[in-house]
Amino acid sequence: MTNHIETIVSGGQTGVDRAGLDVALELGIPCGGWCPKGRRAVDGVIPAKYPLKETETQEYKERTRLNVLDSDGTLILNRGDLAGGTKYTADIAESEAKRLHDWIHEAVERGAHVLCGGTRDGAMLDATVLENVPQDAVINRKEAFGPVAVLSDFADFDAALASINDSDFGLQAGIFTRDLY
């Protein structure tokens, strides 16, 4: 398997944020992310060449949270203690990993089986595959937005659709089969 970068997500602020976008644009790597309303940055307006979506407010924290949530991973380059927006980014990443780890733990306490993963070290959550997860477990009810997959068996397609439609959002679905008929 070849690993490659699929998308660079950045808020387009100064320094490393813009450098990541510049490299992506130069190399033809898809890129984007969120920036505060009005393309607000500490040095003025973020140039239009960066393909960023504006948040509903001018708050930097909103932009940071959306970019962390939209990413598969977060790279932080820092010297010394984390502070300001950099610390906030790390805190969000750790909080999201803890949230998912708690959902995994709740499912396991209720009878789910971890096929792989399921461990967390700070902001790092191992990719996790679960089976035998109760239908009303949080991991089945809400969108994970993280590296967790739930395997479920169904007798037929209608039963699978009914299960997905019984979740809060109906966003989690994948079909792995040799035959739909």
Side-chain angles (χ1 to χ4, degrees):
M1 177 195 320
T2 302
N3 292 324
H4 64 279
I5 296 172
E6 291 183 16
T7 306
I8 300 288
V9 175
S10 172
Q13 294 300 307
T14 60
V16 170
D17 276 7
R18 290 213 191 127
L21 292 171
D22 286 335
V23 167
L25 291 170
E26 177 72 23
L27 298 177
I29 299 170
C31 63
W34 292 93
C35 65
K37 184 177 183 175
R39 300 182 69 86
R40 178 177 173 233
V42 295
D43 65 340
V45 176
I46 298 169
K49 74 175 185 175
Y50 300 116
L52 303 175
K53 299 172 280 192
E54 294 183 33
T55 62
E56 293 182 10
T57 72
Q58 289 191 331
E59 296 299 317
Y60 292 119
K61 285 187 173 187
E62 180 183 13
R63 173 253 8 239
T64 300
R65 180 166 179 71
L66 289 170
N67 283 328
V68 171
L69 292 177
D70 281 355
S71 301
D72 291 330
T74 300
L75 173 64
I76 296 175
L77 303 174
N78 188 70
R79 185 174 181 174
D81 294 335
L82 298 180
T86 306
K87 180 169 182 349
Y88 183 65
T89 299
D91 290 346
I92 291 170
E94 185 158 357
S95 172
E96 288 300 306
K98 182 182 182 318
R99 174 186 60 82
L100 277 178
H101 190 254
D102 289 347
W103 290 6
I104 293 165
H105 183 72
E106 183 256 354
V108 169
E109 283 185 336
R110 299 187 54 217
H113 181 249
V114 177
L115 296 177
C116 69
T119 59
R120 178 178 76 94
D121 182 11
M124 298 298 295
L125 177 69
D126 288 338
T128 303
V129 179
L130 301 168
E131 69 176 353
N132 300 325
V133 176
Q135 179 64 30
D136 62 344
V138 176
I139 198 75
N140 262 340
R141 307 282 324 154
K142 299 190 179 292
E143 177 64 31
F145 291 109
V148 180
V150 175
L151 301 180
S152 302
D153 289 329
F154 298 98
D156 58 48
F157 191 68
D158 289 337
L161 287 179
S163 176
I164 293 299
N165 288 333
D166 189 36
S167 68
D168 292 352
F169 303 106
L171 297 174
Q172 302 185 62
I175 298 174
F176 300 92
T177 183
R178 291 173 210 222
D179 187 0
L180 281 175
Y181 301 100

